[in-house]
């Protein structure tokens, strides 16, 4: 994987700077080892007149057509109950989707699209997406605004483990493979100075960040933080929500691939999570290597046996 100069995403609001904006994030990583993985961002911001939009910095070049708006998926109330993990009621009226949970909190799901005030600026080291909307035209009874998008992430290479792990080859043809990746949001050290200034001016306060990594059961996902939950993915419910980017692969449609979801909750103004994907498998090369070792052991044993018998015969004679 090519080392990037900047490795942090940035998410903030567009406002007049008179108030601090509390933002909650939800991040889904659809990990597809040896292929381009995909990442979802769900952004929940308060519905206030002082806030007129939001911006997202992506630490790599990305085409604007590769950003997929996921707001149409929220028209299904059953899907919303699975996604938010609570009872809710969904109302679709006039092209708008409003989700009200059992606590009375109301979310207005808005599109994140080019024809809805979205602009793209290509900066040194990444891409900056800015979405402007008219806050005065929003409904007064709405508590928060909700956006959800999907984009290509990174290529997770299938890397061979270091020499310390190769000792397992001696006992069998199974060897470990590992690849590393990280998810960082609003990490100042991993952002261009121009984006850092935007974050400071926006007074964005990130509250809770829910991170979910969806990976094949063949891979074990580890981090320095212990996930609070690991569960199988509900393929039937999530089928309409699966990655469908032009450059991506339909992960859930691959037959025989059971997916597991690893979930973390981070309560910090800046998010950073290091991930390690590991698995143990048999390869053709290691299988032949192991067979060669067995063949050599068998050959040496026959030579030793013949030498022993020759020495015994000489002693007898």
């Amino acid at each position: 994987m090519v080392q990037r100069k900047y490795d942090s995403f940035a998410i903030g609001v567009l406002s007049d700077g008179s108030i601090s904006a509390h933002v909650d994030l939800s991040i889904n990583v659809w990990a597809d080892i040896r292929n381009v993985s995909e990442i979802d961002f769900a952004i929940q911001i308060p519905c206030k007149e002082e806030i007129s939009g939001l911006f997202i910095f992506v630490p790599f070049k990305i085409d604007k057509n590769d950003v997929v708006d996921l707001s149409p998926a929220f028209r299904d109330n059953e899907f919303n109950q699975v996604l938010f993990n609570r009872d809710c009621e969904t109302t679709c009226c006039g092209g708008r989707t409003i989700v009200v949970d059992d606590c009375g909190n109301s979310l207005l799901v808005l599109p994140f699209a080019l024809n809805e005030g979205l602009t793209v600026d290509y900066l040194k080291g990444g891409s900056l997406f800015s979405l402007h909307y008219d806050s005065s035209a929003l409904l007064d009874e709405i508590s928060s605004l909700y956006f959800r998008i999907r984009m290509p992430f990174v290529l997770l290479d299938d890397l061979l483990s270091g020499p310390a792990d190769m000792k397992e080859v001696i006992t069998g043809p199974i060897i470990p493979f590992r690849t590393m990746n990280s998810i960082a949001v609003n990490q100042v050290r991993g952002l261009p100075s121009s984006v850092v200034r935007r974050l400071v001016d926006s007074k964005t306060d990130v509250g809770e960040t829910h991170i979910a990594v969806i990976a094949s059961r063949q891979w074990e996902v580890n981090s320095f933080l212990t996930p609070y939950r690991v569960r199988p993915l509900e393929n039937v419910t999530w089928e309409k929500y699966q990655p469908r980017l032009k450059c991506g692969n339909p992960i859930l449609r691959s037959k025989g691939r059971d997916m597991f979801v690893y979930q973390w909750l981070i309560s910090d103004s800046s998010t950073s999570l290091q991930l390690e994907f590991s698995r143990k498998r048999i390869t053709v090369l290691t299988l032949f290597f192991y067979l060669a070792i067995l063949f050599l052991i068998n050959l040496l044993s026959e030579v030793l046996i013949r030498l022993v018998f020759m020495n015994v015969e000489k002693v007898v004679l």
Side-chain angles (χ1 to χ4, degrees):
M1 185 183 303
V2 178
Q3 184 69 30
R4 302 191 304 265
K5 182 177 181 180
Y6 303 109
D7 58 4
S8 176
F9 293 88
I11 297 176
V13 301
L14 300 174
S15 67
D16 57 10
S18 61
I19 62 171
S20 297
H22 181 86
V23 177
D24 289 328
L25 302 178
S26 179
I27 302 173
N28 282 5
V29 176
W30 302 83
D32 193 8
I33 313 300
R34 290 175 295 177
N35 292 294
V36 176
S37 297
E38 294 161 4
I39 188 168
D40 301 348
F41 285 99
I43 307 160
Q44 182 176 331
I45 62 178
C47 183
K48 295 183 178 181
E49 293 183 0
E50 296 82 358
I51 301 176
S52 59
L54 73 155
F55 65 88
I56 301 175
F57 173 75
V58 181
F60 46 83
K61 296 293 183 180
I62 180 175
D63 189 88
K64 57 187 178 182
N65 295 321
D66 285 333
V67 178
V68 177
D69 172 38
L70 298 175
S71 60
F74 292 85
R75 297 169 184 167
D76 187 342
N77 188 66
E78 181 181 354
F79 172 76
N80 292 339
Q81 294 186 23
V82 173
L83 179 68
F84 296 113
N85 196 26
R86 62 181 61 184
D87 292 333
C88 57
E89 181 179 347
T90 304
T91 303
C92 299
C93 180
R96 292 184 173 183
T97 301
I98 301 175
V99 181
V100 182
D101 63 19
D102 52 0
C103 297
N105 300 315
S106 55
L107 296 177
L108 175 59
V109 182
L110 293 179
F112 194 92
L114 293 174
N115 58 350
E116 298 291 342
L118 178 65
T119 59
V120 185
D121 296 315
Y122 295 104
L123 308 179
K124 184 178 180 180
S127 309
L128 181 66
F129 296 85
S130 302
L131 178 67
H132 299 263
Y133 56 81
D134 184 6
S135 57
S136 62
L138 302 177
L139 302 177
D140 295 333
E141 62 271 15
I142 297 300
S143 304
S144 303
L145 306 179
Y146 189 86
F147 304 87
R148 199 171 190 109
I149 61 174
R150 174 175 297 135
M151 64 182 69
F153 190 24
V154 292
L155 176 64
L156 296 175
D157 295 323
D158 191 2
L159 300 178
L160 184 64
S161 292
D165 292 323
M166 291 301 294
K167 60 185 179 181
E168 297 190 25
V169 178
I170 299 176
T171 59
I174 301 177
I175 60 174
F177 283 77
R178 291 188 183 138
T179 185
M180 306 287 293
N181 197 255
S182 64
I183 303 171
V185 179
N186 291 0
Q187 292 284 326
V188 174
R189 293 183 179 180
L191 293 170
S193 58
S194 60
V195 178
V196 174
R197 288 194 295 269
R198 277 177 172 265
L199 278 177
V200 174
D201 295 339
S202 70
K203 296 182 179 180
T204 300
D205 176 28
V206 177
E208 292 185 341
T209 301
H210 293 263
I211 298 179
V213 176
I214 302 94
S216 170
R217 67 179 304 170
Q218 298 174 342
W219 289 90
E220 182 180 354
V221 182
N222 296 302
S223 175
F224 65 93
L225 294 176
T226 303
Y228 71 85
R229 189 181 182 189
V230 179
R231 61 179 175 82
L233 179 69
E234 304 87 345
N235 289 40
V236 176
T237 304
W238 287 85
E239 184 178 7
K240 68 181 67 177
Y241 190 74
Q242 65 179 305
R244 291 180 181 176
L245 298 183
K246 295 179 180 179
C247 61
N249 297 305
I251 297 177
L252 298 184
R253 288 193 174 186
S254 300
K255 294 184 178 180
R257 295 190 63 180
D258 294 331
M259 311 295 289
F260 274 79
V261 183
Y262 299 79
Q263 296 176 269
W264 290 267
L265 176 60
I266 299 176
S267 299
D268 198 349
S269 58
S270 59
T271 299
S272 180
L273 184 66
Q274 299 292 327
L275 298 171
E276 178 190 79
F277 300 84
S278 61
R279 69 176 293 191
K280 295 181 179 181
R281 66 172 187 169
I282 300 175
T283 67
V284 175
L285 292 177
T286 55
L287 181 59
F288 278 113
F289 179 66
Y290 182 61
L291 292 175
I293 291 176
L294 293 178
F295 176 77
L296 290 175
I297 292 175
N298 182 62
L299 183 62
L300 289 174
S301 63
E302 291 183 0
V303 171
L304 290 174
I305 290 174
R306 289 184 180 181
L307 290 175
V308 170
F309 274 104
M310 288 176 62
N311 291 332
V312 171
E313 290 178 356
K314 288 181 179 180
V315 171
V316 172
L317 294 175

